[in-house]
């Protein structure tokens, strides 16, 4: 098994050793945000143990460099649970992020909205999540460190800063609860009615395992969804991956403004 130390040395050799302050994982249709990073792009294929990402619309490169004057590591793509059935697929990348010096992580994803007041084209800050999959990336961990508290898993300070950044940019950033459904099939209308009853505001196929892994590693984490569609049964629109990819850029522009403003606040 590849260890994070060997990968960190490899990344230092290509990108320099200045510590990274923040990591960013980009969701479906958002991969191009990584190209704004001034630095190097390292293909996942050059990083042994990194996921083999097979989802179209993703950019499987690790970009290390500066964005708005802040040293960042941007993961242009993630491996989803539904690709190989491994909820721990992002453990090694997050261990590497930690070893590069990061203390904070921002996760992004494409999601379906269950809130008529948060229609497609909007962004939503995760206040919390519901792990509806029942899966957990820490199953198999051997020590008591596996009992990770998940109260305030979505870091209150980071959320406050992201909300302030959105206000400064004049972008609406409602907060909501994200439900993780494993995918890759979309949800049924009955499942969406159930998730609404359970207190969900948006639904998607990622992010939750990474929040758990990040907290396990002691990284502060916050997550933002770009809303690409109303969830199943809530509109006439047909839900599809093509539609997700086509709609993601709408929210992506707002997301980019919030993230850049947030980074300027870190300088
Ligand atoms: N459900 C699950 N994942 C998604 C959706 C959805 O409606 N839209 C984008 N990703």
């Amino acid at each position: 098994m590849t260890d994070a130390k060997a990968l960190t040395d490899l990344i230092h050799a290509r990108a320099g050793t200045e510590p990274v302050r923040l990591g960013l994982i980009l969701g479906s249709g958002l991969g191009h945000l990584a190209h704004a990073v001034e630095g190097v792009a390292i293909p996942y294929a050059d990083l042994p143990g990194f996921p083999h990402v097979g989802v179209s619309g993703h950019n499987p490169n690790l970009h290390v460099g500066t964005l708005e004057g802040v040293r960042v590591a941007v993961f242009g793509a993630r491996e989803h649970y539904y690709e190989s059935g491994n909820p721990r697929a992002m453990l090694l990348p997050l261990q590497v992020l930690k070893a590069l010096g990061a203390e904070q992580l921002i996760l992004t994803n494409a999601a379906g909205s269950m809130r008529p007041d948060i229609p497609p084209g909007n962004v939503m800050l995760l206040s919390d999540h519901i792990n509806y999959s029942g899966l957990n990336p820490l199953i198999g961990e051997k020590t008591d460190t596996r009992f990770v508290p998940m109260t305030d898993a979505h870091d209150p300070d980071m959320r406050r800063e992201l909300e302030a950044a959105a206000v400064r940019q004049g972008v609406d950033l409602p907060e909501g609860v994200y439900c993780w459904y494993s995918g890759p099939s979309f949800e049924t209308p009955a499942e969406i009615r159930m998730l609404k009853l359970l207190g969900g505001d948006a639904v998607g196929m990622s992010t939750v395992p990474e929040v758990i892994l990040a907290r396990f590693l002691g990284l502060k984490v916050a997550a933002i969804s770009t809303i690409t569609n109303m969830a199943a049964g809530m509109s006439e629109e047909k839900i599809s991956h093509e539609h997700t990819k086509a709609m993601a850029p709408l929210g992506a522009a707002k997301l980019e403004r919030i993230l850049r403003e947030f980074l300027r606040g870190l300088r």
Side-chain angles (χ1 to χ4, degrees):
M1 210 183 93
T2 325
D3 74 349
K5 171 78 175 72
L7 288 176
T8 305
D9 290 346
L10 194 157
I11 293 165
H12 279 160
R14 290 217 205 164
T17 55
E18 190 192 328
V20 158
R21 298 204 35 215
L22 176 126
L24 185 59
I25 298 184
L26 299 176
S28 297
L30 305 173
H32 72 278
L33 291 184
H35 299 298
V37 176
E38 294 161 39
V40 299
I42 307 174
Y44 286 4
D46 293 357
L47 299 168
F50 259 48
H52 302 285
V53 179
V55 186
S56 62
H58 290 246
N59 155 29
N61 288 283
L62 173 60
H63 299 248
V64 182
T66 51
L67 191 55
E68 296 295 340
V70 178
R71 180 93 164 154
V72 294
V74 180
F75 298 83
R78 56 162 56 89
E79 181 175 327
H80 303 78
Y81 170 73
Y82 62 71
E83 291 177 67
S84 62
N86 176 15
R88 292 164 69 85
M90 293 303 288
L91 176 60
L92 182 63
L94 292 181
Q95 285 170 328
V96 168
L97 177 66
K98 174 100 181 169
L100 289 172
E103 291 176 352
Q104 300 188 23
L105 170 68
I106 297 180
L107 303 168
T108 66
N109 60 54
S113 174
M114 296 187 276
R115 288 258 302 268
D117 60 324
I118 314 180
N122 280 284
V123 281
M124 186 191 93
L125 179 62
L126 275 62
S127 57
D128 202 346
H129 69 238
I130 294 175
N131 181 359
Y132 197 78
S133 74
L135 300 159
N136 197 297
L138 301 180
I139 290 172
E141 287 295 325
K142 297 290 179 257
T143 71
D144 282 358
T145 58
R146 65 188 151 189
F147 299 114
V148 176
M150 293 297 287
T151 313
D152 285 341
H154 297 261
D155 189 72
D157 292 334
M158 286 181 76
R159 278 159 50 204
R160 199 171 321 120
E161 292 303 324
L162 284 163
E163 279 171 340
V167 168
R168 289 197 296 275
Q169 282 295 310
V171 176
D172 256 359
L173 184 62
E175 276 203 336
V177 173
Y178 174 95
C179 299
W180 178 30
Y181 236 73
S182 77
S185 57
F186 286 98
E187 304 73 32
T188 65
E191 287 164 344
I192 294 301
R193 288 195 297 277
M194 172 193 70
L195 293 176
K196 279 203 281 191
L197 284 175
L198 295 181
D201 297 302
V203 59
M205 305 179 192
S206 68
T207 301
V208 169
E210 293 146 26
V211 172
I212 296 170
L213 288 168
R215 293 309 302 137
F216 175 63
L217 297 173
L219 290 161
K220 288 182 169 184
V221 62
I224 300 182
S225 293
T226 57
I227 301 299
T228 55
N229 56 280
M230 292 311 294
M234 293 187 64
S235 92
E236 297 302 308
E237 197 100 55
K238 276 229 162 22
I239 298 173
S240 70
H241 187 56
E242 269 50 55
H243 186 256
T244 296
K245 285 188 292 183
M247 290 299 288
L250 276 180
K254 293 180 180 172
L255 182 63
E256 181 166 353
R257 283 167 59 197
I258 295 169
L259 291 176
R260 283 182 179 276
E261 184 70 32
F262 175 86
L263 287 171
R264 285 194 287 273
L266 285 186
R267 279 203 297 235

